[in-house]
Amino acid sequence: MAISLLRKYCELFYGFRRKQWEADKLEYRPITENRKYLPGVSEAAPDGSYTITLDRVRHDSLIKQLSNLRESIAEGDVDFWNEKVAEGLEFIWCERHFYQPLLASTQGLDFQVSPVSLNKGEADFVRDVQAATKSGVFEGYEVYLLRNQTGQGAVGVFVDGGFYPDFILWLVKGQSQKVVFVDPKGLRHHKPDDSKVRFHETIKDIERDLRQQQPENAGIELHAFLISETHSSQLVSQWRDAAGQPVTRELMESWNILFREEDDRYIEKLVERISTI
């Protein structure tokens, strides 16, 4: 008990000091002020690139497929390469994403891809944003989507050792914009009081701090959502609220946790929720 209380005190004290240190260092910057948001930027590839490491003999057929796909991408022939799968590597087009294509793995790959390919949950989210765009879910907004970088150029928040949500979604209307951090993830190994589960609250604290420092940016809202790859029934059986009672799906949705596989309206719910907060 004493060790647990001491650990809790250290966490609270460290969090307080960290917030003090960060307070005057937070600021808004245009995502496009440099090219760090693009993957694989180099002198040879100023517009970014993927690196796929292959064996010339073992992957001879794949090398030829990728060469044809690269040509079609350069020519803007989206119909040719969109949803193409080359030995487990899928090419995905999303018109509101900052760059094309996004690469996803449909199976275990026997070669390396950098940046790492999207997993199923991440790829499904990108497809759902594209479908929502076409069906008018974002009507009235300009929509932009970006897969967050890893390492240098990543947008993250120092909670739980560093949290870097997989995607950033912008909904812009006139002079106001809603910046939404979205992270598809399994939650069975998390708890309701985990910092990543409570990130929807932390991000509003950051929003308030930034508004105090930069009142001219009062039109910018910050939001955070988790897209659970764990079924809600499993979390209901495992998680307890502050009163020790089993959580409900409705309570979890109030924490900005949405369930893609159980609700084909989850993107609509995301838009509805940030429009009413």
Side-chain angles (χ1 to χ4, degrees):
M1 175 65 76
I3 293 175
S4 178
L5 289 172
L6 181 61
R7 182 183 298 113
K8 187 67 174 177
Y9 170 78
C10 290
E11 289 174 352
L12 290 171
F13 181 78
Y14 176 76
F16 174 73
R17 288 300 188 186
R18 177 184 55 78
K19 188 173 182 181
Q20 282 187 319
W21 182 84
E22 284 182 343
D24 62 349
K25 297 175 178 62
L26 295 171
E27 62 178 343
Y28 288 119
R29 289 185 178 179
I31 192 72
T32 54
E33 72 175 6
N34 56 49
R35 293 179 175 268
K36 289 182 179 180
Y37 68 95
L38 293 171
V41 171
S42 66
E43 197 171 311
D47 294 323
S49 65
Y50 289 97
T51 300
I52 303 176
T53 305
L54 303 169
D55 182 283
R56 287 187 178 276
V57 176
R58 186 157 48 92
H59 298 118
D60 179 65
S61 173
L62 178 57
I63 290 172
K64 292 175 182 176
Q65 292 180 65
L66 293 176
S67 179
N68 291 333
L69 286 165
R70 181 168 58 183
E71 289 180 12
S72 67
I73 292 169
E75 293 169 358
D77 188 358
V78 175
D79 291 337
F80 177 83
W81 61 259
N82 184 33
E83 298 184 345
K84 278 285 192 301
V85 179
E87 297 188 25
L89 188 65
E90 182 177 8
F91 290 69
I92 300 175
W93 177 75
C94 178
E95 67 175 291
R96 303 315 304 165
H97 195 265
F98 270 76
Y99 59 86
Q100 311 292 344
L102 285 162
L103 303 185
S105 54
T106 62
Q107 63 186 44
L109 304 177
D110 68 345
F111 50 89
Q112 292 185 338
V113 181
S114 179
V116 66
S117 53
L118 301 176
N119 62 32
K120 182 182 183 301
E122 295 163 350
D124 286 341
F125 174 70
V126 170
R127 294 189 191 95
D128 292 340
V129 169
Q130 175 62 21
T133 301
K134 291 182 67 176
S135 63
V137 170
F138 301 114
E139 185 176 359
Y141 290 106
E142 296 177 56
V143 181
Y144 304 92
L145 179 67
L146 177 66
R147 185 198 184 186
N148 199 7
Q149 283 274 50
T150 56
Q152 187 178 19
V155 177
V157 178
F158 197 83
V159 296
D160 196 22
F163 181 38
Y164 299 86
D166 288 326
F167 296 95
I168 308 171
L169 177 70
W170 287 264
L171 301 183
V172 182
K173 182 184 292 186
Q175 297 302 308
S176 66
Q177 60 176 298
K178 304 175 187 292
V179 184
V180 189
F181 296 90
V182 183
D183 201 49
K185 67 188 302 94
L187 294 175
R188 69 180 183 276
H189 297 306
H190 290 268
K191 297 178 180 179
D193 59 352
D194 284 356
S195 56
K196 292 178 182 178
V197 175
R198 311 310 300 184
F199 187 57
H200 69 286
E201 297 173 334
T202 305
I203 199 68
K204 301 309 285 186
D205 292 338
I206 294 172
E207 177 191 282
R208 282 190 289 272
D209 289 343
L210 284 165
R211 284 186 175 180
Q212 289 178 358
Q213 295 173 40
Q214 303 170 1
E216 67 275 15
N217 290 321
I220 300 176
E221 298 177 13
L222 302 179
H223 303 272
F225 285 79
L226 295 176
I227 310 302
S228 177
E229 296 176 27
T230 304
H231 198 280
S232 62
S233 61
Q234 184 173 352
L235 299 180
V236 168
S237 69
Q238 293 179 347
W239 284 10
R240 296 293 181 269
D241 63 17
Q245 299 299 311
V247 301
T248 63
R249 178 170 160 178
E250 290 73 20
L251 178 61
M252 289 186 285
E253 289 189 353
S254 76
W255 297 342
N256 289 359
I257 300 174
L258 302 177
F259 298 88
R260 178 191 180 276
E261 294 189 358
E262 303 170 53
D263 188 353
D264 57 9
R265 290 190 62 254
Y266 82 100
I267 295 285
E268 291 180 54
K269 284 186 176 180
L270 184 154
V271 175
E272 289 170 359
R273 182 155 178 77
I274 66 175
S275 297
T276 57
I277 292 177

